[in-house]
Structures are given as structure tokens and as C-alpha cells.
Amino acid sequence: MEIIFYHPTFDPACWLPALRKALPGANVREWRKGDDEPADYALVWHPPVEMLRGRELKGVFALGAGVDSILSKLKAHPEMLAQHIPLFRLEDTGMGLQMQEYAVSQVLHWFRRFDDYQALKQQARWLELEEYRREDFTIGILGAGVLGAKVAASLSAWGFPLRCWSRSHKDLPGVTSFAGTEELGEFLHGTRVLINLLPDTPATKGLIDLNVINQLADNSYIMNLARGVHVVENDLLQALDSGKLRGAMLDVFSREPLPADHPLWAHPRVAMTPHVAAATRADEAIAFIAATIGKLERGEIVNGRVDRVRGY
Ligand SMILES: NC(=O)C1=CN([C@@H]2O[C@H](COP(=O)(O)OP(=O)(O)OC[C@H]3O[C@@H](n4cnc5c(N)ncnc54)[C@H](O)[C@@H]3O)[C@@H](O)[C@H]2O)C=CC1
Ligand SMILES: O=C(O)C(=O)CO
């Protein structure tokens, strides 16, 4: 079995030996420009069109959870990957725990008013603020898939009222489930902390705009852990300035790296990280890919297949 690997930043010196160890029967090589030699599987992130074009592969694995970049490239270059070739993505592979760490720490930061105390500290003011109550701190998770469900489970342990919104209803312990555009308004009404874990698809781009934000509870918070295109950044800034929103924690942006003159950098109630909420962990990703290839070779059912029409 021949496997080709391409990632713009991952170190092949770390990935290739680990892949060979996990797939002892396979020849694994780094793909380089001009390599037209046969391959059965391709493991990729932001692949050049020429790497995949015309290949009769048994499968392509995206080396991340989101497949928006590969699907948008496919839209521009449909010849890159024939329709019948399955595309897979990483399901969890350690990203769930990272998302839990991120979401829990930030929700507790807001709930315990550490942002307000930090602002008071800057004025050297010793002032005891009124405590927030759990029952006024409903957390709404947009996207209740692999990562959204994990984040919900970790927040449930802290006793917050929880709700989620997805395409179809979910049965997650302690979480009220809303589904579809017809239930979005009900989901938003009373949500105090909105956490976004949707995939980037034509249906979700620009979803978090002023209209959506205005339906949240007053003094609410937004945490964007998914993709920058989900949030209309000017609307977010407007809602922060009007006081409707009390704070935002952003990991992803409409442009990455975020340009140095972007107003989000300077906003006192915006915290941010540079798209690091959940990284691909080599060991867990390789275990998932090796197990999936094994099942495909034996003709078994596998997880992680992307529905190219649905867009995730
Ligand atoms: N910031 C970061 O470091 C990372 C961000 N991500 C982002 O997180 C996203 C979610 O990942 P997973 O949970 O693994 O995806 P998933 O495919 O398991 O879950 C997606 C969820 O969104 C819902 N959904 C999709 N379209 C919808 C629509 N139109 N209306 C309502 N609900 C809709 C689905 O029903 C499902 O519950 C990824 O697509 C990726 O963009 C993933 C990993 C790291
Ligand atoms: O896996 C993903 O989709 C990511 O965004 C990782 O950075």
C-alpha cells in the first residue's frame, strides 16, 4: 500500500516514522512537487491541486476536523478529486479535550467576573462585584457534533443550564436540544454564553450577525472556536460597543493572521488566541487514520467520512 503525506507546516520527520510504525505494511512518503507515482491513500492539509488531481485513490484524509478549505478548493478545482473518492476528516483525536479546556476555562473566567476584576485592577480599584448566578448563565452551543458534544459534557459538570443547536435533535445528557432554522430563535432567547462549534458551510457562513446577537440575553458573551467566517466581525464590534455583548473570546477570524490594524486587536472586551483552540495531535490522529485504513481495507464501516454535498 502506498501512502502520500502533505502538510504545509507539520514536520514530516515526526509524522512519517510514526505513520510507518502504525501502518507496517505501507510505504509512506512525503509528497513533493512532480511526484506522480501511484498512491492508495493521501493524508493532506491545504494540498496543492496537482498532488491529488487524476489520482485513483482509495481515500483522502484531511489532517484536521474542518474540511472547509479542501471543499472550497474542490469547488474551484472539481478535477482535484473525483466524486467517488471518499474524503475523511479527523473525529476528535484529542481535539475534544482541548476544546473542553478552552471552553471551561473561558466560561468560568466570565462567570467569576475575572474580566471585570482585571479592568478594576487596572484602575487600582478594590471593589467587590455582585456575583453572577448559574441560573442566569445559560450556555448555548452552536453545533452539537463531535466537539460540541464534548464541550457540552464538560460544562454540564459545572452545573450550568445548557442547550445546543444542530441540524437534527440530539440526545445529550443535561442539554436541551434545538434543531434547524425554525428553532434557532428559541435557542438564542435567554442564551447568555454562545459557543460556536459549527462547521463552515454555505448554510453557516455569516450566521452570527447582529440579528442573531440581538436575540441573545443582554450582557451576553460569544466564544468562537470554529471558523472566522461564522461571525460578522463588524456586527460583533457594534454589539460590544452598544453594550449588548459583554465580551468575546475569539480563536478564529475572517482573515488569519488577523491584520495588525484590525479593530478587534484593540478592543478592551475582546480576548483572542491565534487559531489554537484545538490542534491536531500526531499520535491520536495517526491512530485514527491507521485504524480507519485498516477497516477500509477489510471492507468495514468507518467513521469520519465527509458528506461533500452537505459540506462537512
Ligand atoms: N479552532 C480550532 O482550533 C478548531 C476548529 N474546529 C472547527 O470545529 C468544527 C466542528 O467540528 P466537529 O464537532 O468535529 O464537527 P461535526 O461535523 O462533528 O459537528 C458539526 C455539528 O454542526 C451541526 N451543523 C452543521 N450544519 C448545520 C446547520 N446548517 N444548522 C445547524 N447545525 C448544523 C451538525 O448538526 C453537527 O452537530 C469544524 O468544522 C472546524 O471548523 C475544529 C478543530 C479545531
Ligand atoms: O482541525 C481543524 O479544523 C482546525 O481548525 C485545526 O486547526
Side-chain angles (χ1 to χ4, degrees), residues 65-66 68 89 95 99 143-148 165-167 170 197-199 203-204 225-227 251-252 275-278 312:
D68 41 295
R89 67 184 195 94
M95 286 185 261
M99 287 296 188
V146 173
L147 301 177
W165 183 71
S166 45
R167 268 164 58 112
K170 305 281 168 168
L197 273 164
L198 286 166
T204 63
L225 306 180
R227 288 294 182 260
D251 182 55
V252 284
H275 198 146
V276 294
Y312 66 100

Side-chain angles (χ1 to χ4, degrees), residues 273-284:
T273 46
H275 198 146
V276 294
T280 295
R281 300 276 193 241
D283 286 354
E284 285 152 295

Side-chain angles (χ1 to χ4, degrees), residues 249-301:
M249 175 82 216
L250 309 173
D251 182 55
V252 284
F253 303 87
S254 56
R255 278 181 64 197
E256 294 179 8
L258 188 67
D261 59 353
H262 198 289
L264 283 170
W265 283 112
H267 202 289
R269 280 181 289 113
V270 174
M272 53 171 87
T273 46
H275 198 146
V276 294
T280 295
R281 300 276 193 241
D283 286 354
E284 285 152 295
I286 288 168
F288 175 84
I289 292 167
T292 305
I293 289 178
K295 287 182 192 162
L296 288 169
E297 292 291 312
R298 294 189 296 274
E300 294 169 14
I301 292 167

Side-chain angles (χ1 to χ4, degrees), residues 108-125:
L108 294 179
H109 184 89
W110 284 325
F111 181 64
R112 293 303 308 264
R113 306 195 64 170
F114 290 155
D115 49 346
D116 295 326
Y117 282 116
Q118 183 63 19
L120 287 170
K121 187 220 168 217
Q122 262 148 24
Q123 303 161 34
R125 284 183 69 200

Side-chain angles (χ1 to χ4, degrees), residues 71-107:
L71 291 184
S72 65
K73 206 163 203 178
L74 263 171
K75 208 167 176 193
H77 302 277
E79 77 285 6
M80 182 165 96
L81 199 63
Q83 275 296 342
H84 67 274
I85 300 176
L87 172 64
F88 301 94
R89 67 184 195 94
L90 299 182
E91 281 196 348
D92 194 339
T93 64
M95 286 185 261
L97 179 60
Q98 296 173 70
M99 287 296 188
Q100 290 179 323
E101 294 160 357
Y102 197 116
V104 169
S105 61
Q106 188 59 31
V107 166

